[in-house]
Amino acid sequence: QVQLVESGGGLVQAGGSLRLSCADSGPTFSSYAMGWVRQAPGKEREFVAHITWNGGRTYIADSVKGRFTISRDTTKNTLYLQMNNLRPEDTAVYYCAAHYSGPYTYPTAYRNWGQGTQVTVSS
């Protein structure tokens, strides 16, 4: 069972950086591909990044490519999202989740969502 808790969000100025963490307290972290999805106020959830179960491959949404990096540390059961050169349009609640089935760019392909962490980027 995957049990996810996100942290690391906050308020940052445009151009700044944040690193989000997603800790899994369950025993099966390394069994799942994982992803980050965000939801801005009044908008639908949006795919941000995906990483395979062993960290061998990563996929980044075009909207954040070149600025965001996804990684995982299986020894710590933790998923990361490094966000650089943040923009006001990156403001959203960021969620981590386990990928179960379906295209990884579809938020509906993910389960076991964490509670989310708020990222606010001021201009």
Side-chain angles (χ1 to χ4, degrees):
Q1 182 70 21
V2 178
Q3 302 168 1
L4 303 172
V5 178
E6 301 97 335
S7 62
L11 174 64
V12 64
Q13 288 187 333
S17 298
L18 285 173
R19 188 177 80 157
L20 306 183
S21 298
C22 171
D24 178 14
S25 59
T28 59
F29 177 77
S30 60
S31 301
Y32 293 94
M34 300 290 295
W36 288 97
V37 173
R38 68 186 182 184
Q39 187 167 23
K43 295 187 177 181
E44 295 185 351
R45 288 187 175 182
E46 174 192 19
F47 166 75
V48 175
H50 175 93
I51 188 167
T52 53
W53 68 274
N54 63 354
R57 291 187 179 183
T58 62
Y59 304 90
I60 306 295
D62 287 343
S63 59
V64 301
K65 192 169 292 182
R67 301 187 296 120
F68 290 14
T69 303
I70 186 172
S71 62
R72 67 192 300 167
D73 185 340
T74 54
T75 66
K76 297 180 179 180
N77 277 13
T78 302
L79 177 73
Y80 301 101
L81 185 69
Q82 178 65 45
M83 306 185 296
N84 298 328
N85 192 20
L86 282 159
R87 303 168 180 171
E89 54 263 39
D90 296 319
T91 296
V93 177
Y94 284 70
Y95 300 90
C96 63
H99 179 252
Y100 271 61
S101 64
Y104 62 82
T105 57
Y106 285 34
T108 53
Y110 296 86
R111 300 287 185 272
N112 298 101
W113 299 84
Q115 85 288 352
T117 186
Q118 176 71 47
V119 172
T120 303
V121 185
S122 63
S123 57

